[in-house]
Amino acid sequence: MDQPEPTNDPAAGLLLTLNRGIQVLEQVARDRGRATAKSLVTDLGINLGTCYQILRTLQANGYLHRLPGGRYTLGTRVGMLADQYDSTAAPPPELMDTLHDLHQALKETVYISIRRNRGFPIVGVLEGVRILRVGNLTVGYSGHANVRASAKAFLAYAPVEALDDFFDSRTFQPLTPNTITTWEQFLDELGATRARGYGVDREEYTSGVSCIGAAIFAEDGQPYGAYGTSLPTSRFLSDEAMIARHVMAAAERASRHMGYRGPYPPLPTEVRT
């Protein structure tokens, strides 16, 4: 028999039931109309009784809709949230148009990230269409700025005082054997990013996956965001130069739209210390 789960975690400052509800909503979105209570239990590791309570609550408030066969999809209230997001947080439509053009050129998974306070979240994603493709990138993800190619591209040109805004610690958790784990390594990587004009993730976040990112600049010359692409390392090793040209061209086009008139990429400066 299913046992009730804890309702909160005072030490972490989390309301666990709400946290579970958010996880269920996100998983339903990922499953695109295929989610069932049993699949959610398997995917999220929650008990069946809790899952049914969450589903009923989200359905009653219009955030989920129950389909025939016990499947769930997003409800109409999610559209209200999306409209509010588009009006307050989404990048200019011209930058999204450029993301679509980049997607057409590369056929790989591409995304755009922009700065939001102390984070650098992904705000738009288009999944690759090749047989071997990289998925599972989601709008809103903002973690691990020390390994993400787009975050490196952004931070390489950010003011030195801005770096501390993005990190609570100057040591980093190793995610793969290639992960940058020290502040000194990270600063060296930012210098290398400025020298080449784009950021790279060589299997630092996920084994078998590599990424390239290029910064988007605002009118005042400060970085505004970045485009990125993720692809199997086999294609990265053979096509890095070509892919980097496409990503940088997209980022320069977006920068010009934002009013930036300087050289692209900006001239390298000394490595920050």
Side-chain angles (χ1 to χ4, degrees), residues 3-270:
Q3 298 298 317
E5 296 184 345
T7 58
N8 55 60
D9 182 0
L14 298 178
L15 185 63
L16 293 187
T17 302
L18 178 58
N19 194 48
R20 291 295 197 193
I22 293 170
Q23 291 174 354
V24 167
L25 189 62
E26 291 179 346
Q27 188 63 42
V28 170
R30 285 190 289 268
D31 287 345
R32 298 181 179 182
R34 298 186 299 271
T36 65
K38 290 184 178 179
S39 72
L40 293 166
V41 165
T42 300
D43 292 338
L44 300 176
I46 60 179
N47 69 52
L48 190 59
T50 298
C51 186
Y52 275 121
Q53 288 180 325
I54 291 170
L55 289 171
R56 285 194 294 267
T57 301
L58 291 171
Q59 186 180 357
N61 285 277
Y63 289 100
L64 290 183
H65 176 66
R66 191 174 189 274
L67 300 169
R71 295 174 293 113
Y72 289 86
T73 188
L74 296 179
T76 57
R77 290 289 290 175
V78 174
M80 179 273 292
L81 297 180
D83 287 344
Q84 291 299 315
Y85 172 82
D86 286 341
S87 66
T88 59
E94 291 83 0
L95 271 60
M96 293 302 297
D97 291 342
T98 300
L99 183 70
H100 280 272
D101 291 343
L102 180 62
H103 184 250
Q104 287 296 312
L106 296 179
K107 311 299 183 186
E108 306 284 3
T109 298
V110 297
Y111 42 91
I112 180 173
S113 302
I114 58 176
R115 180 169 186 175
R116 287 287 180 258
N117 297 319
R118 287 172 51 89
F120 191 63
I122 295 173
V123 296
V125 180
L126 298 173
E127 291 191 2
V129 297
R130 296 174 181 265
I131 295 176
L132 292 176
R133 62 188 178 88
V134 176
N136 297 325
L137 292 168
T138 57
V139 169
Y141 178 74
S142 63
H144 299 102
N146 60 303
V147 298
R148 292 165 54 203
S150 56
K152 291 176 187 175
F154 175 88
L155 292 172
Y157 296 100
V160 63
E161 61 271 15
L163 291 180
D164 287 335
D165 291 343
F166 290 84
F167 303 103
D168 295 325
S169 170
R170 293 198 169 194
T171 59
F172 308 113
Q173 174 190 2
L175 303 174
T176 75
N178 291 351
T179 301
I180 290 173
T181 57
T182 70
W183 191 251
E184 289 74 19
Q185 289 176 315
F186 181 64
L187 293 180
D188 288 344
E189 181 62 22
L190 294 186
T193 298
R194 290 190 292 275
R196 75 172 77 90
Y198 60 92
V200 294
D201 159 14
R202 298 183 178 90
E203 298 189 344
E204 296 171 46
Y205 184 75
T206 303
S207 296
V209 176
S210 295
C211 309
I212 293 174
I216 301 167
F217 295 89
E219 183 176 7
D220 61 1
Q222 295 300 312
Y224 166 83
Y227 288 123
T229 183
S230 297
L231 62 156
T233 295
S234 58
R235 288 203 291 270
F236 172 85
L237 292 174
S238 61
D239 297 333
E240 177 184 355
M242 178 274 292
I243 294 169
R245 284 196 299 273
H246 278 288
V247 178
M248 291 173 68
E252 179 175 9
R253 175 180 162 189
S255 298
R256 301 307 179 198
H257 171 77
M258 298 293 293
Y260 175 67
R261 295 293 178 263
Y264 193 95
L267 299 177
T269 57
E270 293 183 2

